[in-house]
Amino acid sequence: MASYPLSTSTSSSDISTPRSISPSSSVASGRSSHSSISSSKRMSISSTRRISAANPMSSVDITAIEEAMRMANLDTLRGYSQNRYGEVRQYATTEYISQSQALGYQMLSEPMWNKGLSFTPEQRVAKNLTGLIPHVMEDSDKQCERALKMIRTRQTGIDKYLYLSTLKAENVDLFYRLLIDNAKELMPLVYTPTIGDVCLQYSTLYTRPEALYISIKQRKSIKTMLKNWRYPNPEICVVTDGSRILGLGDLGVNGVGIPIGKLALYTAAAGIHPEKALPIVLDCGTANEANLRDPLYLGLRSKRPSVAEQQEFMDEFMQAAAEVYPEMVVQFEDFESEKAFNYLDRYRGGYKCFNDDIQGTGAVVLGGYIGAVNLSGVPVEEQRLVFMGAGSAGVGVAKQLVEYYTKRGMTEQAARDKFWLVDTKGLVTRDRGDKLAEHKKYFARTDNSGHQFRTLEEVIEYVKPTALVGLTATHGVFTESVVRALKASVDAGGLGRRPILFPLSNPLTKAECTFEQAVTWTDGTVIFASGSPFSSFTVKTSEQPVTYHPNQGNNVYVFPGIGLGAILSKSSRVTDNMIYTSAAALAGSLNAEEVQKGLIYPRIERVRDASLIVAREVMKAARRDGVSQLPEEQWLEWEEWGDPALDKYIKARIYDPEL
Ligand SMILES: NC(=O)C1=CN([C@@H]2O[C@H](COP(=O)(O)OP(=O)(O)OC[C@H]3O[C@@H](n4cnc5c(N)ncnc54)[C@H](O)[C@@H]3O)[C@@H](O)[C@H]2O)C=CC1
Ligand SMILES: CC(=O)C(=O)O
Ligand SMILES: [Mg+2]
């Protein structure tokens, strides 16, 4: 057990000092005063000044606090202080019972400031923490070891998730240190697949708010609700209306687990500061009968209103968000297909926004496809792709791949002809007889000579594809006969060509087939990527066992870098080129070991490295498209020094938890 001598000297380094991100001059404003505080507990400006002068939180800028109070029209102060950016903000938790004790408890109860057992002796004395935490001082490794031990003793994914969630609510640095250093083990807990189970039960599991919950019933106060967010000036927001959560359907407000999880990955994978991440669920009711019947359900107990009314609400949200947080990039997540396409078209010209399911998924699959084609032995021009699923993800991916082909010089028509999309009614054709959703029309085939192909087997027999992509949210649709037919159609000439098989639906229970099935049914030749992670699979042979490694084809490899790139380049819009570039950057981010292993994505442990490369290239694309609002001199300087200068800029601005 580590021990240390207690010293009475105070440290010059203050925990509240900004660390890795450049200071901002913005201040919290517009908050209401808390008149319920008894007068004995109130602090006047002068007492604040006295506290600040007397105690070691000496970096607090009194002028800025006074300015914040003036703007908020406050005559009493309830715990304003500065965060790491130098921004003034309000403590939600502060009840000043006595100055000396309050300071220590504040440090421990504020998750962004709590350093657990890492507080140095100097900090413990300076912050009046002595006696409030055990004597031992531990580095981050030791504290992570304890947390990992606790996680591993828990039996279910949800129990592990709940432990992690509590940790995040208590000690943000420790949570992110743990997540970053143990990405392979822990990412499936805060993200897919476990987050799917969490969303299904969110209303029962709920213990504390972690997002903004904006209901259509309170649509006139969206701005007020946005301003009520705990931290000032968020830079990235992930918003859903819960209408298509992973492959689990309409979960209503329970879908909020997705924005929370995605933003945890923004921090872990791209170093967006946790204070700058804003998860939002727009509650418009739900079509989910089980939720509507659940007495514990936390959302509006009503069916969704008309599409037009939901759109009006979305219009109001987008306007309010841009007004309250003009710098914030908005990521649309898990909106049901029609809305997903509509909102992207509607807002992308006027706001800084992108759709992760359409554009992020398009980019991540393109990134993996580039590597997969190289491994397959089938030249890219000869590839023929069948997509099972023609929703926001299926169409988004197919369109991104069409762009890839056209950038390689193919005509748009020839590129489009490489794709056969299948949905619940069979091959999507112009003359199928049903009213095709708008987003499917682009890929509707006209070369079917009036014949309608109803099953995937029929489509494979007809198309003879080289690649099969699943985005159906339906487990088991890649049957043994389907996968064997794919293999046969790729390897018809016995040239050792390999099939590309991407069952991409989430969570794991919705994957179109498993990794083990894919390996077995293709005799180990498959090039495989799934949306949620599968384990490696070892086949025992008469000689020595052969282990096959799956890839995870999930938009987590691009959305954090797209968001970070858009933020750091101060982009006024998220352009198609920024999205496209993210795919190319991802494809180029594998290291030699990964290439040698036959992977098509970097190992998930390296997602942070990949995100930084993606962010850098997205920034450059923003500049090329004329949407970066960084000063021209800055870009000229980077041009002289090249990528290392830009990398340095990015690295200096990202969050790296220190304990
Ligand atoms: N790996 C990744 O990064 C991503 C994975 N996804 C996953 O993709 C899935 C689909 O998402 P969306 O396109 O947004 O959903 P969606 O509901 O818009 O589309 C689903 C499509 O699949 C079709 N479909 C459903 N069952 C089918 C069946 N048995 N046979 C043939 N077609 C069938 C539907 O007709 C529809 O065209 C979800 O599970 C989602 O989690 C989505 C985004 C990213
Ligand atoms: C990964 C993701 O965005 C989805 O499954 O919806
Ligand atoms: Mg999604």
Side-chain angles (χ1 to χ4, degrees), residues 148 150-166 185-186 189-190 194:
L148 272 182
M150 286 303 295
I151 290 163
R152 288 172 186 160
T153 58
R154 294 182 186 221
Q155 297 301 309
T156 67
I158 287 195
D159 284 345
K160 292 169 196 268
Y161 174 89
L162 291 176
Y163 177 87
L164 281 164
S165 174
T166 303
E185 181 174 350
L186 302 187
L189 297 172
V190 298
T194 304

Side-chain angles (χ1 to χ4, degrees), residues 420-491:
W420 287 262
L421 269 55
V422 182
D423 64 12
T424 42
K425 300 196 178 77
L427 183 66
V428 177
T429 61
R430 222 24 104 63
D431 57 358
R432 200 167 67 172
D434 58 328
K435 190 174 176 308
L436 282 186
E438 206 48 46
H439 62 267
K440 295 182 189 177
K441 288 183 179 162
Y442 180 84
F443 286 106
R445 304 291 306 196
T446 52
D447 56 352
N448 53 318
S449 312
H451 183 78
Q452 304 307 329
F453 300 85
R454 299 293 177 194
T455 67
L456 185 54
E457 281 86 348
E458 285 177 70
V459 175
I460 290 181
E461 175 61 27
Y462 168 61
V463 175
K464 303 278 185 232
T466 55
L468 180 57
V469 175
L471 286 158
T472 57
T474 311
H475 176 66
V477 293
F478 290 172
T479 58
E480 179 167 359
S481 67
V482 161
V483 175
R484 288 199 185 278
L486 170 72
K487 177 178 186 297
S489 80
V490 178
D491 200 19

